């Protein structure tokens, strides 16, 4: 069977503490692009449609396992209770791989930029070699393990702390990723010892052990930038900068207009359609889709939202999870939308909160309108039909519905359903007290003057 057609398992190592992060949060749960580092590693592997996805956890295992399950419920988590090295970590996946006949790629939860194309190239190289290691030509080899090659054959991997001066002169370095037949890998790992400077069981011993058995090992290379690992807050910040630069370039290449690219921030899964325009200082949280020809105006924040074609959002708008905007809908300045459907051509232009609601097509929601959706215990839903005019400063106290073509008077507190075509007015009758305003103001000014004289 050709290597690329063999079943694939992905083993992601995510057990480390990351002490240099100086954080109570496990290292692999720190985020770039709104997603934990381990999710980025998972996403790259999932593009290859693996038959099994195994994540090895350790430090902060429960939190890591919860994040993994939230993103990919089919993933299997196994624990490395003692961190005794990468070889020992991979061995913890042995039970989860029992009965599996295919290839394994070992990946790392703190290495977010490895692309699916690179993983696929490793898999393809398995057609001619038993062991495939991912390497890179390092500008500053420093502490990286060295790949010692003999032509196209990988002879061995030497950790920097265990390397000779001659070996340290090599610039071809080890990324840590490895691809092998599952059964072969587990068998070789059983032979790995810990006679080294760290007293750990290294995954990097596998190619040498394979060579001793007459098996073939090789290395393929990728760009050094792909292999960037995250160990410190500074490296995390640098990774975010690199991630945002890539996403901005990708958006521009795909036909999106960014009027000030350096001020726009993307999540790992942001989707923007063709001819979308994004003005300055816009932030996309996870789960945002924007369809063709929409405009996101300055200083808006979107998360978990869908924006229809030719819709306009902002400036200074906030779309929270569950916001669904129809084509040509308009959400204006200082408007917040949460768990609500805004129909085609509907407008919510000023200073309003629309939550747990459905707004029908072509309806107009006046300035200062609020859907009062929470009673302190439960959330309730507001339904507004098509072609409805909601007057400014209307409080819609859910659960309540307003029928098609209806209206509400400005300043109304709507607590009962409004039938289609009706107009609802719910406010106290105005009473003018003759001269009271002037008398009250004079009294207050006199009191203020008296206090100054004391």
């Amino acid at each position: 069977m050709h290597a690329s057609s063999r079943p694939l398992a992905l083993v992601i190592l995510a057990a480390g503490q990351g002490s240099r992060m100086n954080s109570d949060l496990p290292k692999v749960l720190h985020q770039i692009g709104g997603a934990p580092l381990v999710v980025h590693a998972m996403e790259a592997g999932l593009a290859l449609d693996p038959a099994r996805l195994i994540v090895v956890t350790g430090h902060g295992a429960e939190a890591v396992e919860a994040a993994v399950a939230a993103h990919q419920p089919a993933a299997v988590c196994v624990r490395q209770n003692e961190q005794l090295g990468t070889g020992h970590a991979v061995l913890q996946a042995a039970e989860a791989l029992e009965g599996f006949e295919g290839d394994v790629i070992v990946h790392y939860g703190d290495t977010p930029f490895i692309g699916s194309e690179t993983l696929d190239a490793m898999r393809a190289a398995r057609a001619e070699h038993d062991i495939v290691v991912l390497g890179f030509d390092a500008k500053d080899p420093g502490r990286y393990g060295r790949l010692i090659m003999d032509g196209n054959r990988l002879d061995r991997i030497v950790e920097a702390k265990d390397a000779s001066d001659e070996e340290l002169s090599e610039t071809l370095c080890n990324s840590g990723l490895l691809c092998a037949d599952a059964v072969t890998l587990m068998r070789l790992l059983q032979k790995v010892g810990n006679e080294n400077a760290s007293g750990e069981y290294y995954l990097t011993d596998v190619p040498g052990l394979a060579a001793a058995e007459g098996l073939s090992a090789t290395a393929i290379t990728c760009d050094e930038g792909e292999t960037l690992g995250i160990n410190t807050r500074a490296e995390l910040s640098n990774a975010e900068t690199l991630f945002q630069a890539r996403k901005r370039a990708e958006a521009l290449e795909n036909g999106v207009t960014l009027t000030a690219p350096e001020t726009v921030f993307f999540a790992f899964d942001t989707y923007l359609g063709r001819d979308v325009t994004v003005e300055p200082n816009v932030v996309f949280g996870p789960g945002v889709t924007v369809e063709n020809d929409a405009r996101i105006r300055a200083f808006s924040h979107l998360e978990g939202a869908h924006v229809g074609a030719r819709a306009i959002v902002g400036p200074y708008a906030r779309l929270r999870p569950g916001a669904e905007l129809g084509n040509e809908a308009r959400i204006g300045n200082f408007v917040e939308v949460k768990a609500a459907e805004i129909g085609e051509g509907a407008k919510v232009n000023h200073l309003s909160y629309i939550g747990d609601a459905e707004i029908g097509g072509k309806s107009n929601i006046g300035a200062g309108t609020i859907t009062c959706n929470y009673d302190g215990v439960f959330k309730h839903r507001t339904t507004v039909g098509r072609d409805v005019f909601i007057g400014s400063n209307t409080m819609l106290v859910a659960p309540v519905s307003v029928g098609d073509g209806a209206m509400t008077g400005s300043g109304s507190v709507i607590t009962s359903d409004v039938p289609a075509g009706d107009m609802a007015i719910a406010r106290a009758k105005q009473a003018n007290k003759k001269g009271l305003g002037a008398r009250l103001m004079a009294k207050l000014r006199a009191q203020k003057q008296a206090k100054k004289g004391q």
Side-chain angles (χ1 to χ4, degrees):
M1 184 183 291
H2 191 275
S4 61
S5 63
R6 285 165 54 83
L8 178 69
L10 184 69
V11 176
I12 298 177
L13 306 188
Q17 179 177 358
S19 57
R20 288 197 285 159
M21 298 294 286
N22 288 320
S23 175
D24 294 331
L25 190 69
K27 178 169 69 169
V28 297
L29 294 188
H30 286 269
Q31 296 189 353
I32 60 173
L37 298 175
V38 68
V39 167
H40 288 269
M42 291 167 63
E43 278 293 299
L46 287 170
L48 276 63
D49 193 24
R52 300 190 190 185
L53 173 59
I54 303 163
V55 181
V56 182
T57 66
H59 179 73
E62 290 185 2
V64 175
E65 288 162 6
V68 168
H71 188 72
Q72 185 61 30
V76 174
C77 291
V78 298
R79 293 194 182 183
Q80 183 190 25
N81 293 318
E82 290 184 274
Q83 277 73 65
L84 301 177
T86 52
H88 178 261
V90 178
L91 269 177
Q92 307 314 300
E95 185 176 340
L97 287 169
E98 191 171 344
F100 179 75
E101 296 183 2
D103 292 334
V104 173
I105 292 179
V106 179
H107 193 3
Y108 294 82
D110 63 353
T111 308
F113 291 131
I114 298 290
S116 55
E117 299 84 359
T118 296
L119 296 179
D120 203 33
M122 293 179 67
R123 187 183 188 185
R126 270 277 296 121
E128 299 178 6
H129 298 275
D130 297 295
I131 307 291
V132 178
V133 170
L134 181 63
F136 62 97
D137 286 305
K139 294 178 182 177
D140 180 15
R143 59 184 174 81
Y144 294 115
R146 306 305 201 271
L147 302 183
I148 309 302
M149 304 293 293
D150 181 6
N152 191 39
R153 184 177 67 86
L154 175 61
D155 184 61
R156 64 192 185 281
I157 305 175
V158 183
E159 295 295 327
K161 65 184 78 173
D162 301 312
S164 66
D165 289 343
E166 182 180 355
E167 290 167 336
L168 286 173
S169 68
E170 295 288 341
T171 60
L172 183 60
C173 295
N174 179 35
S175 72
L177 277 75
L178 179 146
C179 181
D181 170 73
V183 175
T184 301
L185 178 60
M186 290 299 156
R187 179 172 54 77
L188 292 173
L189 283 171
Q190 295 287 350
K191 297 184 177 183
V192 171
N194 66 343
E195 296 78 31
N196 52 61
S198 297
E200 294 185 346
Y201 299 88
Y202 290 151
L203 179 65
T204 50
D205 287 349
V206 166
L209 292 169
E213 290 191 3
L215 300 175
S216 67
T218 193
I220 68 166
T221 60
C222 68
D223 183 82
E224 183 176 0
E226 276 193 65
T227 69
L228 180 68
I230 311 299
N231 296 293
T232 66
R233 301 278 186 162
E235 290 174 349
L236 183 69
S237 178
N238 182 50
E240 182 71 43
T241 299
L242 292 172
F243 172 84
Q244 294 299 337
R246 291 183 182 186
K247 292 295 285 187
R248 292 163 188 155
E250 179 184 299
L252 294 168
E253 181 68 22
N254 290 339
V256 174
T257 295
L258 304 177
T259 57
E262 69 282 0
T263 70
V264 177
F265 290 84
F266 293 94
F268 74 104
D269 59 352
T270 305
Y271 171 82
L272 303 181
R274 191 172 182 175
D275 292 318
V276 166
T277 297
V278 183
E279 295 181 5
N281 298 295
V282 170
V283 176
F284 294 101
V288 175
T289 300
V290 182
E291 303 294 348
N292 294 358
D293 295 297
R295 177 180 286 268
I296 311 300
R297 302 196 62 190
F299 294 98
S300 294
H301 187 287
L302 296 77
E303 180 177 0
H306 175 265
V307 179
R310 300 175 301 284
I312 298 175
V313 176
Y316 295 98
R318 185 181 182 196
L319 301 186
R320 291 172 58 196
E324 294 277 346
L325 274 56
N327 297 341
E328 299 179 2
R330 294 194 177 189
I331 302 297
N333 49 287
F334 304 104
V335 171
E336 179 178 339
V337 180
K338 187 272 296 183
E341 300 168 22
I342 310 298
E344 184 170 352
K347 299 177 181 180
V348 190
N349 273 333
H350 319 282
L351 303 160
S352 295
Y353 169 72
I354 305 298
D356 297 285
E358 178 180 347
I359 308 298
K362 302 291 186 180
S363 289
N364 186 92
I365 308 299
T369 294
I370 294 175
T371 56
C372 307
N373 57 332
Y374 183 50
D375 64 9
V377 179
F378 299 105
K379 294 288 182 72
H380 301 282
R381 194 160 182 85
T382 298
T383 302
V384 174
R386 293 183 57 84
D387 297 301
V388 171
F389 184 90
I390 301 294
S392 297
N393 199 35
T394 294
M395 305 293 109
L396 296 165
V397 183
V400 70
S401 66
V402 181
D404 293 347
M407 301 179 69
T408 68
S410 297
S412 292
V413 179
I414 304 301
T415 57
S416 301
D417 291 350
V418 182
D422 283 6
M423 180 172 185
I425 302 174
R427 56 181 183 235
K429 184 178 180 180
Q430 181 173 322
N432 298 332
K433 305 297 183 181
K434 187 171 180 63
L436 181 58
R439 294 195 301 272
L440 181 59
M441 187 60 67
K443 180 179 179 181
L444 292 173
R445 286 171 178 161
Q447 290 174 348
K448 181 176 181 182
Q449 192 64 34
K451 284 184 178 181
K452 284 184 179 180
Q454 289 178 353

